[in-house]
Amino acid sequence: MQTHEIRRRFLDHFVKAGHTEVPSASLILADPNLLFVNAGMVPFVPFFLGQQTPPYDRATSVQKCVRTLDIEEVGKTTRHNTFFQMAGNFSFGDYFKEEAIAFAWSLLTGSVEDGGYGIDPEKLWVTVYLDDDEAFAIWRDKMNVPEARIQRRGMKDNYWSMGIPGPCGPCSEIFYDRGPEYGVEGGPEADEDRYIEIWNLVFMQNERGVGISKDDYPILGPLPKKNIDTGMGVERVAFLLQGVENVYETDLLRPVIDKAAELTGALYGDKHEDDVHFRVIADHARTAAMLIVDGVNPGNDGRGYVLRRLLRRIVRSARLLGADRPTMAEFMAVVRDTMAPSYPELATNFARIETVAVGEETAFLKTLGTGSKLFEGAVDAAKAEGRTVLGGTAAFTLHDTYGFPIDLTLEMASEAGLSVDEDGFRSLMAEQRQRAKDDARARKHAHADMTVYKELLDRGPTEFTGFGELVTEAHVLAVITGGERLHTATAGQKVELILDRSPLYAESGGQIADIGTITGPGLKIKVDDVQKIAKQLWTHKVTVVEGQVTEGDAVLVQVDPEWRKGATQGHSGTHLVHAALREVLGPNAVQAGSLNKPGYLRFDFSWPGALSEQQKQDIEVVTNEAVAANYPVNTFVTDLDKAKKMGAMALFGENYGDEVRVVEIGGPFSMELCGGTHVQHSSHVGTVTLLGEQSVGSGVRRVEAYVGLDSYRHLAKERALLAGLSSTLKVPSEEVPGRVESLIERLKAAEKELEKTRAANVAAAAGGYAGKAQRVGDLLVVADAAPEGVAGNDLRTLASDVRGRLGSEPAVVLLLGNTEGKVPFVVATTKAAQSMGIKAGDLVASFGPAIGGRGGGKPDMAQGSGSNPSGIPAALDAFRARLSELAG
């Protein structure tokens, strides 16, 4: 059963049981205690604590999770993943232990035909908290689990919390028995390698305090309600249902390992050291892609440092496996292809994922090239002096000059048989931080007085006049550059101007700033941008075109009227689209961000999946019906409580004071809290054309649209494009889609025929190679170059076919490809040759150096790749010479 199917069955099971399906939250939440979301229940914590009222009594989700405490263990064992998916069902004061246990048991043991996982109940063991007699009795009496397969465990194992103050409670875990070949009898208490935990049912009823370990913290008291929080490990259930050895063998991670084998020439399963590197690549590539798509960028601290570390471990592992060129783009593409069915944002945002990951790889490859030489020199020096510790100064230089994270230095030193003077390293780091602080203080005294804005704020906020007029008389309060008061500026200078009044809108609430001019006698200034300081002070970023501006000058400030017209169209259009989304999709389609500017709007909203074509059409129709209705646009100021009672909606990410401005379009059609500029009637927005809809994060979708003249220009361009296609295809415009679809089908059919022809040619070539077999002692030998372009599975198939045509005699086949500067190869042996002690994997060493290649495999077949096509003749000669030795 594929992992995506496991996820779907879980959600369907609980939706049928009355749960609301909740999309996975982002891995990044505004919680100062958490670097990443590390458990499925994290997004629901405010509900468990009673801080917020949940909009549902029971919910289900498959939550993205990342845990990074065990990064060093990834790959060394098959039990650690940094990214994983936690499927859960949650009750907020609704049902409790008996129902939760029954829900889990029925899904795990229910038949596949009925939507279950079809697990044999005899394979399942359960654990309960020491004194939880109620849970013990439910398992025994209601689920009919024998007492011998129910074990009581202590607080460390069966009392759950997030590891920080918050909700907690006793839990009951479900384990799967993999069989005697994986360990000793005796249940989870005896062996957790044989008995794998797959589900944890937390009976969340208490709140914990601060503690230092899993079983050393105070219980502060009961929660407002008894809740259920469960977590089923999707990856663990997947490897059990797919009949593979571990999570790295499943359908989501094995393809990354296979790609790494293809790119490096190494073989997974050949030796433990290489297997560790393969698993590091598979795990970290997936985690990195998921972090990037949720907005994390590589950096030197916090989340950014974790991402950087993951990406750099991928690069280094690939190099250690034999990669001699960049590999990151291909790893990320495999992650996209395997994970996108559940997380479509990986596909829609792949350009950003690839750019971030490849950029970090490029930078780190340079780091490795120079820093590794320094590291190797330091290691050689230490060993020559008989030391077993790499000095702190060397570690600091690697970090400070070459960007080596200390974790990488520790890892490389360990591989070289050395430890690192971490205390010395951290002492030098502390000295560097102190120097940076001293330097910052020196610069502050030498340059601008950074209190300049505070002094201006003390005079009161900027008076914004732009709601009622586009031209305002004002006075210049300050001329600033780089935080320093200049008092005056002349033609050619770019400065900031602080005015007492301004009609120019300062960027906020998704609306970008106005542009315009500031003029006076002999003075002309171009306003490029307007921003807010402390939400009160307008700072105008300007270029002085003519004359001189001085503090105290009286000036005339004017908004570009065409710009403002387009800006109001875009902003009012955003409100109309928001209202249309809620009318078509329902009240759960709430705003999650926006951007509007002249002629264009972008709107992000919470929604669990892609919109259908019909939904997109309906949204566009409702929006344009509101435009045609010519609704009046009214604005008024009231207090926040009254606005909320009226049903006014708050904008994403905006903080409000006691008094708020309400923008009302068409009475109940749209009412939002908004400080932006708007049209006077909805018809002034003009036609709204949706450009598309996409995912921008888990549970967040984005629509984009043109408005006004930009909408007309877009539609005109589309009309011209359709007319061109109609003319080229010689069909009426309404038949263009059908004709294009027909052409695509014909193209696909032609490609299939080409593929059949290519496969037939490969098969036909086998006879020719078999006919050229040479006798070397008692061996038949085929050693030759494959047809140009043949590689991968085709090369393997060809070698196997040639071997089959050589009959039962002792025979060995070597075929060397030449594809884009790479030399893929396959060695195949017959059973008779193997009985003579000739093994395919052992033969690689005889010819591999000539082509700069490496590889391996089993006695009957081995494969790999080299990087030196010019060495093919020498490789063939070396191979034949080795077989002559073996044949006597």
Side-chain angles (χ1 to χ4, degrees), residues 536-866:
Q536 297 184 56
L537 200 67
W538 268 228
T539 175
H540 302 72
K541 298 185 178 182
V542 306
T543 303
V544 182
V545 180
E546 296 176 8
Q548 175 176 295
V549 60
T550 303
E551 292 179 1
D553 283 353
V555 293
L556 196 67
V557 188
Q558 181 170 352
V559 180
D560 181 320
E562 287 302 312
W563 178 275
R564 171 62 71 81
K565 177 183 177 182
T568 59
Q569 288 178 313
H571 202 155
S572 297
T574 302
H575 285 222
L576 296 180
V577 169
H578 189 189
L581 280 163
R582 293 172 62 78
E583 182 171 321
V584 173
L585 302 178
N588 289 333
V590 295
Q591 181 172 349
S594 68
L595 172 70
N596 49 80
K597 60 183 181 179
Y600 169 86
L601 67 88
R602 185 182 78 199
F603 190 84
D604 297 345
F605 60 100
S606 300
W607 195 250
L611 303 185
S612 67
E613 287 302 318
Q614 187 61 53
Q615 286 173 324
K616 286 185 280 189
Q617 290 177 23
D618 290 346
I619 292 163
E620 191 172 66
V621 167
V622 171
T623 303
N624 283 290
E625 285 177 345
V627 171
N630 196 29
Y631 290 136
V633 178
N634 300 315
T635 63
F636 57 91
V637 176
T638 185
D639 63 69
L640 183 59
D641 289 338
K642 285 184 180 179
K644 288 181 177 178
K645 288 177 183 177
M646 294 171 64
M649 298 190 63
L651 291 178
F652 172 81
E654 189 72 25
N655 294 320
Y656 299 95
D658 293 333
E659 283 198 339
V660 293
R661 181 169 180 263
V662 179
V663 177
E664 178 190 65
I665 305 177
F669 182 75
S670 171
M671 185 182 296
E672 299 189 23
L673 306 185
C674 181
T677 60
H678 289 271
V679 299
Q680 294 181 335
H681 291 82
S682 62
S683 61
H684 297 170
V685 171
T687 303
V688 179
T689 303
L690 290 188
L691 303 178
E693 178 264 347
Q694 61 179 324
S695 168
V696 290
S698 181
V700 179
R701 310 295 299 182
R702 170 175 293 171
V703 292
E704 296 177 276
Y706 284 135
V707 300
L709 278 176
D710 287 86
S711 178
Y712 167 77
R713 295 187 185 102
H714 172 74
L715 292 173
K717 187 186 298 183
E718 293 286 299
R719 185 173 64 233
L721 177 62
L722 182 60
L725 285 172
S726 176
S727 175
T728 300
L729 297 174
K730 294 181 173 55
V731 295
S733 58
E734 63 270 17
E735 295 181 16
V736 166
R739 178 57 62 90
V740 170
E741 185 175 348
S742 173
L743 289 173
I744 290 173
E745 290 302 318
R746 289 170 59 185
L747 179 60
K748 288 180 179 178
E751 288 174 343
K752 287 181 180 179
E753 288 301 316
L754 284 173
E755 176 64 22
K756 290 180 182 178
T757 301
R758 184 189 59 76
N761 289 339
V762 169
Y769 284 111
K772 294 190 291 183
Q774 297 177 339
R775 179 73 63 180
V776 177
D778 294 330
L779 287 173
L780 280 177
V781 177
V782 173
D784 210 335
E788 187 174 351
V790 175
N793 290 334
D794 288 340
L795 188 62
R796 186 183 180 96
T797 299
L798 180 57
S800 180
D801 285 352
V802 173
R803 177 181 59 186
R805 292 170 184 264
L806 297 178
S808 59
E809 288 194 66
V812 182
V813 177
L814 167 64
L815 294 179
L816 296 166
N818 186 351
T819 305
E820 297 179 351
K822 288 289 184 181
V823 187
F825 61 80
V826 175
V827 183
T829 60
T830 62
K831 289 184 178 180
Q834 294 164 39
S835 67
M836 296 172 59
I838 299 174
K839 300 177 181 179
D842 294 344
L843 292 173
V844 174
S846 65
F847 64 87
I851 55 171
R854 55 184 294 181
K858 298 178 179 179
D860 65 324
M861 185 168 287
Q863 65 186 66
S865 181

Side-chain angles (χ1 to χ4, degrees), residues 71-72 298-301 304-316 360 363-365 367-368 371-372 375 390 392 394-413 420 422 425-426 429:
I71 286 180
E72 293 84 0
N300 292 325
D301 53 30
Y305 176 73
V306 172
L307 175 58
R308 172 160 287 166
R309 188 175 171 198
L310 293 172
L311 291 170
R312 291 186 171 192
R313 280 170 61 87
I314 294 171
V315 175
R316 187 161 178 271
E360 185 65 19
F364 188 52
L365 285 174
T367 294
L368 277 177
S372 293
F375 174 81
L390 188 68
F396 176 77
T397 302
L398 282 165
H399 172 88
D400 192 48
T401 305
Y402 298 99
F404 267 47
I406 183 61
D407 308 272
L408 177 58
T409 303
L410 291 169
E411 194 173 306
M412 292 173 64
V420 177
E422 291 186 67
F425 167 79
R426 301 194 190 285
M429 285 293 294

